[in-house]
Amino acid sequence: MRYSALSLLRNALSGHRSWPVAWRDAAPKPRYDAVIIGGGGHGVGAAYYLAKKYGITNVAVIEKGWIGGGNAGRNTTIIRSNYLYDESAHLYDHAVKLWDGLSQELNYNVMYSKRGVLMLAHNVHDIQSFKRHIHANRLNGVDNEWLTADECKAYCPPLDIAPNARHPVLGGALQRRGGTARHDSVVWGYARGAVAMGVDIIQNCAVTGIRRGPDGAVLGVDTEKGFIGAKKIGVSAAGNTSVVMDMAGLRFPLESYPLQALVSEPVKPIFPCVVMSNTVHAYISQSDKGELVIGAGTDQYVSYSQRGAMHILEHTLAAICEIFPIFTRMRMLRSWAGVVDVTPDRSPILGKTPVPGLYINCGWGTGGFKATPGAADLLAYTIAHDAPNAINAPFTLDRFRTGRFIDEAAAAAVAH
Amino acid sequence: MLLIHCPYCAEDRPEVEFTYGGEAHIARPLDPSTLTDVEWEGYLYLRKNTRGDHAERWRHMHGCARYFNAVRNTVTDRIEVTYKAGEARPPEHVAGDAA
């Protein structure tokens, strides 16, 4: 059914007892035209775009847990596209353009809120680096502007801009189109749209092997629910990408780290935007429920445990309390971690692999949520055409052999 | 926070005294000038990223400052064993490393 004010009214009158399920769980068929491994926003979205844009509807999304239960449900929902290099600016801005209008396209409210992302400069290096970003962004048609410390304070009143602060605010870079979205809604909205077009979503079904024919091309996947044939397989498995690619005999330039986040008790609206302080690893916004959503930096070691160490949170909260003294007596409700797959140049890998019929979307590291619609769209394009399009063509796997990095790590000197 | 046994200091110390050094037992090329691009890629960038028992380097930065190796299960984060740099991975801790 189509959601509308009328459907809301009708269901309100019947006590909200007759809403149909938004999407149905499926049992696997023996064969599909394409299989997506990984039911996060990127994977479910790719299935949606395969059906919507390319008419490939005989598609299965295979998820070892439940859809949206991995990094899609564990991030701090920050959306922005103010990356330094041309390739990155085009890639991330492709996603931001898709975020705009996604709720209307899906007929599902993903709650994309363009509340602005403000990146704080605490020292001279930050000022120089951010201004370079601003100029590069504007040349690429990506909005980004410099704010003085007073303008930062006006944009985000809880900020402490006292000159003797522990982390003095010397200014900031503001991307007004940046903001947040409701993470679960993105996955559920894509799932509802995909299933309506014939896509099967298969949950609680881990992939245990990738079968290849004598010519090396993929034949399908072995799963906990049996063999599923497919000539095309898209892998969108985030932190577990190395595990999945190992099944195809491929080694990847990835390491998986825990990335922690936490939320406070809910309070009335106080925080109007997203503030990032890359230098001290503190990322904060307020959800529509009223919780302060706070992100930390990664733990230092490879881990799949989906939990991290307390001293990382302590470091982040110390920075938050210094920058926003008004929050020193807030109580934190819960913390968790996602497992993020990090490449050596901190840019994603999105395209073909050496195995015919096997396509990869990985390496988004600490910043994959913002790219959800873009990565999904480009993975679908690459699978449908057996070739990347101009936006994701630079994000090859072989750039670690040729040296054609997209070195966003060196550009910003922090993890994103 | 991990509690890590430094094999040089023979002490269990908190993780904040240590820095991580990535995958262990990656041998530096003996003759770098003869390496192909594929071999450089493997040496510099390709990693096992093991889900399971993972041999890795740690440095006791705020202690003896020496590098050593550990086998840690990356699903439970339990450190199975630590051993000095240059020593082989203990054979009883090799199983489980699928990659």
Side-chain angles (χ1 to χ4, degrees):
Chain A
M1 77 178 290
R2 196 171 165 76
Y3 297 145
S4 64
L6 192 65
S7 71
L8 187 61
L9 180 65
R10 196 181 300 129
N11 280 282
L13 293 175
S14 64
H16 294 295
R17 281 187 295 268
S18 49
W19 287 104
V21 293
W23 56 275
R24 62 172 192 280
D25 217 1
K29 293 191 286 191
R31 168 157 296 279
Y32 291 91
D33 293 338
V35 158
I36 307 286
I37 301 174
H42 291 218
V44 178
Y48 170 84
Y49 288 116
L50 274 174
K52 170 97 181 186
K53 287 188 157 180
Y54 308 108
I56 303 172
T57 57
N58 188 24
V59 174
V61 177
I62 303 175
E63 164 57 46
K64 71 172 177 168
W66 62 96
I67 61 164
N71 292 352
R74 293 166 184 269
N75 65 88
T76 53
T77 77
I78 297 173
I79 295 169
R80 62 186 180 88
S81 61
N82 51 351
Y83 284 70
L84 180 66
Y85 290 113
D86 294 352
E87 297 89 342
S88 314
H90 295 150
L91 179 70
Y92 290 97
D93 213 47
H94 179 62
V96 169
K97 285 172 183 158
L98 286 171
W99 278 113
D100 218 356
L102 190 61
S103 294
Q104 287 74 21
E105 177 179 347
L106 295 176
N107 180 229
Y108 201 99
N109 191 359
V110 302
M111 297 163 74
Y112 173 40
S113 160
K114 283 180 268 190
R115 59 185 65 186
V117 172
L118 179 62
M119 301 172 84
L120 298 179
H122 297 299
N123 52 50
V124 173
H125 170 81
D126 284 350
I127 296 174
Q128 292 170 339
S129 167
F130 289 1
K131 287 192 172 176
R132 186 181 172 211
H133 275 69
I134 288 169
H135 296 313
N137 289 158
R138 295 175 81 142
L139 288 172
N140 278 317
V142 175
D143 70 303
N144 198 1
E145 63 194 271
W146 178 255
L147 299 191
T148 64
D150 286 333
E151 289 167 337
C152 290
K153 175 79 178 170
Y155 196 77
C156 184
L159 260 182
D160 177 16
I161 60 165
N164 62 347
R166 171 68 184 83
H167 305 298
V169 175
L170 305 182
L174 173 65
Q175 184 175 27
R176 291 184 189 271
R177 283 192 305 150
T180 57
R182 169 89 197 280
H183 48 79
D184 293 326
S185 291
V186 183
V187 182
W188 297 338
Y190 275 131
R192 173 169 169 264
V195 167
M197 291 183 285
V199 170
D200 279 355
I201 291 177
I202 300 155
Q203 301 185 105
N204 298 310
C205 180
V207 169
T208 54
I210 294 177
R211 280 198 212 172
R212 297 168 65 183
D215 58 347
V218 298
L219 297 175
V221 291
D222 289 306
T223 75
E224 290 175 339
K225 297 182 180 177
F227 176 74
I228 301 172
K231 290 272 170 57
K232 294 188 170 192
I233 299 171
V235 178
S236 198
N240 283 292
T241 300
S242 294
V243 179
V244 176
M245 296 321 266
D246 188 48
M247 296 173 192
L250 296 176
R251 275 181 95 184
F252 260 60
L254 291 173
E255 287 184 302
S256 297
Y257 298 97
L259 179 65
Q260 297 186 79
L262 66 167
V263 293
S264 73
E265 58 192 335
V267 291
K268 287 188 175 179
I270 185 169
F271 205 79
C273 59
V274 180
V275 170
M276 304 177 56
S277 178
N278 299 359
T279 309
V280 291
H281 274 314
Y283 313 94
I284 178 169
S285 64
Q286 188 174 18
S287 74
D288 292 329
K289 278 192 289 184
E291 304 151 323
L292 295 178
V293 181
I294 298 169
T298 59
D299 281 71
Q300 59 177 338
Y301 48 81
V302 166
S303 178
Y304 292 82
S305 64
Q306 292 187 318
R307 62 190 172 193
M310 186 59 83
H311 68 272
I312 304 285
L313 296 180
E314 192 179 354
H315 171 83
T316 290
L317 289 175
I320 293 286
C321 289
E322 291 289 349
I323 299 168
F324 307 101
I326 193 174
F327 294 145
T328 48
R329 279 187 275 175
M330 290 283 284
R331 284 165 295 190
M332 295 298 139
L333 280 191
R334 6 174 241 288
S335 71
W336 63 90
V339 178
V340 299
D341 46 327
V342 178
T343 60
D345 67 357
R346 303 300 191 271
S347 287
I349 301 167
L350 179 44
K352 299 177 72 171
T353 70
V355 176
L358 187 64
Y359 306 90
I360 183 65
N361 168 48
C362 71
W364 290 95
T366 59
F369 178 76
K370 66 173 76 67
T372 301
D377 180 47
L378 294 166
L379 179 59
Y381 182 101
T382 306
I383 292 172
H385 293 83
D386 190 35
N389 84 2
I391 296 173
N392 65 310
F395 294 87
T396 58
L397 174 59
D398 72 3
R399 70 178 187 268
F400 301 99
R401 186 177 312 156
T402 62
R404 291 182 188 279
F405 296 148
I406 303 157
D407 212 344
E408 288 293 344
V414 298
H416 289 284
Chain B
M1 188 185 297
L2 304 178
L3 197 58
I4 302 172
H5 181 81
C6 173
Y8 294 102
C9 301
E11 296 248 17
D12 293 334
R13 306 296 297 171
E15 181 194 334
V16 286
E17 290 189 11
F18 299 83
T19 51
Y20 188 61
E23 187 179 323
H25 306 300
I26 297 175
R28 192 179 173 85
L30 291 174
D31 189 1
S33 62
T34 61
L35 252 57
T36 64
D37 287 353
V38 173
E39 288 167 329
W40 272 122
E41 180 193 27
Y43 170 65
L44 290 173
Y45 302 122
L46 300 186
R47 294 292 177 263
K48 287 181 182 169
N49 199 23
T50 308
R51 186 184 170 104
D53 285 351
H54 183 243
E56 59 193 19
R57 302 192 307 164
W58 285 87
R59 187 179 181 202
H60 196 181
M61 192 69 175
H62 302 292
C64 62
R66 298 181 77 172
Y67 274 102
F68 61 93
N69 296 325
V71 174
R72 182 177 52 89
N73 185 298
T74 59
V75 178
T76 62
D77 285 339
R78 178 190 158 93
I79 295 174
E80 304 292 345
V81 66
T82 59
Y83 51 101
K84 292 176 180 174
E87 292 178 3
R89 180 171 173 165
E92 65 272 27
H93 293 291
V94 171
D97 185 353

